[in-house]
Amino acid sequence: MGTYVVTGSASGMGRAVAERLRANGHTVIGVDVQPAEVVADLSTPAGRRAAANAVLSACGGRLDGAVLAAGVGPTPGRDQPRRILEVNYFGVVELLQAWRPALAAGERAKVVAFSSNSTTTMPAIPGRAIRALLAGDVDKAARALRIFGRAASSMAYGASKVAVSRWVRRHAVTRDWAGAGIRLNALAPGAILTPLLEKQLSTPAEAKAIHSFPVPIGGFGDAGHLADWVVFMLSDSADFLCGSVLFVDGGSDAYFRSDDWPGPVPARRLAAYLRKFKRFTSFS
């Protein structure tokens, strides 16, 4: 049996994942702003440092896997866009960077970061905000969102999830992650019936927008089903899964992007891909 850390373990998909892992006999270190093994506020640098250190202490410097499920939804509010960026992006990246040595100490460790199908179904997500997040500059990212006014929270949510997905893809194939035996992947859910979605559905305007969004198979996803996907991605069966973003969204991504992916490597970028390949083969 293994030792796993799950952020956002007190509710929604994080809670479902933690329950599945415990039912399978694993030790789970939950991290949440609500009661959990580690109580921490991931919206602040100090809170993230406290969470990272507490988990490292609890696991004894060895982790078999990590699930980054903590997140803030696109609810309106003056300070909400920045909070979304802090929790959804830095609450993933900073914790994973702190836990990487413990994951490397584990045998064939697996990491699942929660992304979203908003990454491909939401239009006009500002590239400046995404680039700022990937550069570690939350202030610049927040400034890039101000022009969106009341829609800034939605754009912050989309930008945070795009940035997480790109961070995962960029780092998964590097010496520090793949080269250290760690499998780093992302899961991109669609509309899953969690307490957050239930709260949104209780507001008529938000409920109308949610119900009008195309979900080809109809209805909403189940948090338990998403937990099953995460457990698979943490298992030995996922040893060959690396740098992937898996969409589990009832077909929405395919509805909007049926011809966008997959695609061939653009000829103009071939040289850059070859350079990356040479760097990879130096440690594989």
Side-chain angles (χ1 to χ4, degrees):
M1 296 294 100
T3 299
Y4 295 86
V5 57
V6 179
T7 70
S9 62
S11 65
M13 290 177 279
R15 179 176 179 175
V17 170
E19 289 175 348
R20 285 284 197 281
L21 290 172
R22 290 189 177 111
N24 290 342
H26 299 293
T27 297
V28 175
I29 305 169
V31 179
D32 207 294
V33 71
Q34 302 179 58
E37 285 73 19
V38 174
V39 177
D41 182 358
L42 301 184
S43 69
T44 69
R48 294 191 290 272
R49 285 193 299 271
N53 292 335
V55 168
L56 290 174
S57 177
C59 74
R62 184 185 185 280
L63 286 169
D64 295 286
V67 180
L68 289 299
V72 178
T75 52
R78 181 178 178 181
D79 298 324
Q80 191 73 347
R82 186 186 181 96
R83 183 166 178 261
I84 291 169
L85 301 177
E86 295 272 14
V87 175
N88 293 7
Y89 179 74
F90 293 98
V92 172
V93 170
E94 290 182 6
L95 294 184
L96 284 179
Q97 289 170 330
W99 295 337
R100 195 203 64 81
L103 290 162
E107 185 178 351
R108 296 152 68 191
K110 310 291 193 307
V111 174
V112 180
F114 268 66
S115 178
S116 168
N117 73 342
S118 295
T119 56
T120 58
T121 63
M122 180 182 291
I125 297 174
R128 287 182 300 165
I130 297 167
R131 292 189 294 273
L133 289 174
L134 289 166
D137 192 336
V138 68
D139 294 324
K140 187 174 181 179
R143 287 196 300 271
L145 297 167
R146 291 175 184 168
I147 62 171
F148 292 94
R150 292 176 60 86
S153 291
S154 294
M155 290 300 167
Y157 182 84
S160 70
K161 295 300 186 178
V162 172
V164 162
S165 298
R166 291 187 184 174
W167 188 91
V168 165
R169 303 257 305 157
R170 290 180 181 185
H171 288 77
V173 297
T174 64
R175 184 189 304 272
D176 285 344
W177 294 89
I182 307 167
R183 299 295 176 262
L184 176 57
N185 296 284
L187 186 65
I192 309 300
L193 197 57
T194 62
L196 174 61
L197 181 59
E198 290 173 348
K199 182 179 179 180
Q200 291 174 306
L201 290 171
S202 68
T203 304
E206 289 191 60
K208 182 178 180 180
I210 292 168
H211 285 298
S212 66
F213 188 82
V215 181
I217 69 166
F220 303 117
D222 178 79
H225 293 164
L226 264 293
D228 290 338
W229 274 96
V230 173
V231 170
F232 166 75
M233 294 169 73
L234 295 173
S235 73
D236 291 344
S237 297
D239 276 352
F240 207 52
L241 192 67
C242 178
S244 295
V245 181
L246 276 64
F247 285 81
V248 184
D249 69 346
S252 299
D253 174 67
Y255 178 89
F256 284 104
R257 300 198 316 137
S258 57
D259 295 328
D260 291 353
W261 180 265
V265 174
R268 69 182 184 278
R269 298 187 63 184
L270 186 57
Y273 279 98
L274 289 174
R275 286 194 296 272
K276 279 190 175 183
F277 178 74
K278 288 179 180 177
R279 288 199 299 272
F280 174 79
T281 54
S282 69
F283 69 82
S284 62

